[in-house]
Amino acid sequence: MILDNKISLGFFPTPLQLMGRLSEKYPGFTIYLKRDDNTGLASGGNKTRKLEYLIHEALSQNFDTIITAGAQQSNHCRQTAAACAATGLGCHLILGGSEPEKYDGNLLLSFLLGANIHFSGENRKGEGISLLRTELENKGKRVYTIPYGGSNLTGALGFVNAVGELMNQMTTLDLKVDYIFFASSSGGTQAGLTLGKELFGLSSELMPVTIDKSETQGVTLEEIVFKIFTEGKEVLDIKKEYQLKDIKLIKDYDGPGYGVITQNEIFALRELATTEGIILDPVYTARAFYGMLDYLKKGRIPTGSTVLFWHTGGLPANFHYADQLR
Ligand SMILES: *Cc1c(COP(=O)(O)O)cnc(C)c1O
């Protein structure tokens, strides 16, 4: 089975946790968190699930070097650096912007994890990968490229598998979840959850909240999710037909742009932190969590619903954005 083509890089299943105090604050709703901020790989996050499949593929095909790309505060790049360190692979990260005077947050961790860091100026979504790849191959390296955010079918399998994991937990707890909110950005998480929903027959409605309104190399997020879904449907033998218009995205909260912190993100961070003692991240999860709370407050989903927020990690970025968070 294709879902077995992975190595172990983290601690799974991640906890499924009832938010008792938060649920009391939002009467009429029962709120759960899926704690992928606790995957365990160099402070955790959703990319660990994708990397279990991606690094498996790289190792099984005898690659010795990984290239991937992202923002300087990329959680994906930090977890990739950790995965490479843990498996003995060389790691090259192409990060947007120019080299800062001070390394902090995820950038600091990527450095400590031994990654070779290349600063790429304006581009932060992997535009410079092929040039670096050729350069490394000319030096005799066998290079495996992980796309922006780890979002291809191989990476998305991590979230197909995650649906099976969640459904086991829900069975054990005799729990039915009506809505699953999560941050969607490079598309792999959403594509994997969508495939997993169809493969395992998950009844919950997926509520992906977009984080980044800009496109990835001219391709929209819907198109990326749809492409991965269409490829995955074949290999997983899923019969359900999807059109591009069936790819749902909640776009009400990405207005300020990627990595721009507003009062909304600060409110959401503090709301969860002060009611449950759990830290979100300012770029992804706080934005999506704000979206979920807004849906509850405005009654945009029915009272009585059980909602799950998939906490996809990102803790280290708080230390980069420290000045904007207070
Ligand atoms: C990457 C990331 C996401 C989004 O996942 P995608 O698969 O890229 O859509 C959400 N939250 C955090 C903390 C992330 O690092």
Side-chain angles (χ1 to χ4, degrees), residues 46-47 50 75 149 151 183-189 281 284-285 312-314:
N46 63 335
K47 305 309 182 303
K50 301 179 183 184
N75 301 299
S151 286
S184 187
S185 179
S186 72
T189 301
D281 86 289
Y284 296 92
T285 50
T312 44

Side-chain angles (χ1 to χ4, degrees), residues 214-226:
S214 68
E215 300 182 343
T216 300
Q217 297 174 34
V219 186
T220 66
L221 179 52
E222 287 94 328
E223 287 167 339
I224 295 172
V225 174
F226 182 65

Side-chain angles (χ1 to χ4, degrees), residues 22-325:
L22 189 71
S23 301
E24 262 175 44
K25 233 179 148 178
Y26 292 80
F29 298 100
T30 307
I31 306 169
Y32 281 83
L33 236 61
K34 179 69 172 149
R35 300 293 306 275
D36 275 16
D37 56 321
N38 275 253
T39 61
L41 186 66
S43 103
N46 63 335
K47 305 309 182 303
T48 307
R49 292 189 187 274
K50 301 179 183 184
L51 287 161
E52 292 200 321
Y53 287 87
L54 291 160
I55 299 291
H56 174 273
E57 186 167 275
L59 291 172
S60 63
Q61 295 174 19
N62 290 317
F63 290 99
D64 55 32
T65 303
I66 303 287
I67 304 183
T68 197
Q72 292 191 7
Q73 285 303 318
S74 165
N75 301 299
H76 161 66
C77 289
R78 180 248 311 158
Q79 286 164 86
T80 302
C84 289
T87 53
L89 291 165
C91 182
H92 288 259
L93 303 177
I94 303 182
L95 306 181
S98 49
E99 183 168 20
E101 252 172 51
K102 185 179 150 205
Y103 281 27
D104 60 12
N106 282 303
L107 177 62
L108 175 65
L109 297 185
S110 295
F111 167 77
L112 293 174
L113 290 160
N116 301 282
I117 296 172
H118 310 263
F119 293 94
S120 63
E122 285 294 288
N123 302 326
R124 67 172 164 89
K125 294 188 175 181
E127 292 82 349
I129 284 181
S130 62
L131 207 65
L132 177 62
R133 184 190 177 106
T134 309
E135 203 181 294
L136 291 167
E137 283 174 348
N138 288 341
K139 290 181 186 157
K141 299 292 184 196
R142 285 179 49 79
V143 179
Y144 179 86
T145 299
I146 295 181
Y148 177 66
S151 286
N152 56 16
L153 176 58
T154 304
L157 291 176
F159 271 90
V160 179
N161 195 51
V163 173
E165 176 184 306
L166 173 67
M167 286 182 72
N168 284 336
Q169 291 175 312
M170 294 194 319
T171 304
T172 307
L173 296 173
D174 197 18
L175 172 71
K176 185 176 168 289
V177 169
D178 300 304
Y179 297 93
I180 298 177
F181 286 83
F182 58 98
S184 187
S185 179
S186 72
T189 301
Q190 185 177 348
L193 290 176
T194 309
L195 286 163
K197 175 177 158 67
E198 299 306 335
L199 182 68
F200 294 107
L202 174 73
S203 64
S204 322
E205 188 173 337
L206 300 181
M207 306 292 276
V209 180
T210 62
I211 298 310
D212 184 358
K213 61 185 171 184
S214 68
E215 300 182 343
T216 300
Q217 297 174 34
V219 186
T220 66
L221 179 52
E222 287 94 328
E223 287 167 339
I224 295 172
V225 174
F226 182 65
K227 178 171 180 285
I228 300 173
F229 180 86
T230 306
E231 290 169 14
K233 184 177 166 298
E234 294 308 314
V235 295
L236 294 164
D237 200 22
I238 291 168
K239 297 286 176 272
K240 176 106 181 232
E241 294 294 334
Y242 268 67
Q243 311 289 321
L244 182 58
K245 66 171 170 40
D246 299 323
I247 304 300
K248 173 171 179 158
L249 279 177
I250 297 171
K251 293 184 175 177
D252 303 341
Y253 306 100
D254 66 4
Y258 180 81
V260 178
I261 317 297
T262 73
Q263 286 308 313
N264 292 355
E265 286 78 32
I266 295 173
F267 170 81
L269 253 162
R270 288 183 59 91
E271 184 77 339
L272 186 64
T274 57
T275 50
E276 300 284 355
I278 295 170
I279 305 292
L280 294 166
D281 86 289
V283 178
Y284 296 92
T285 50
R287 183 164 285 181
F289 196 72
Y290 180 85
M292 184 182 86
L293 296 180
D294 197 47
Y295 262 59
L296 302 187
K297 275 189 276 198
K298 293 186 174 148
R300 294 177 81 170
I301 56 173
T303 316
S305 299
T306 297
V307 298
L308 181 149
F309 183 78
W310 206 299
H311 189 339
T312 44
L315 177 108
N318 283 298
F319 303 107
H320 173 72
Y321 291 100
D323 292 345
Q324 294 163 58
L325 292 174

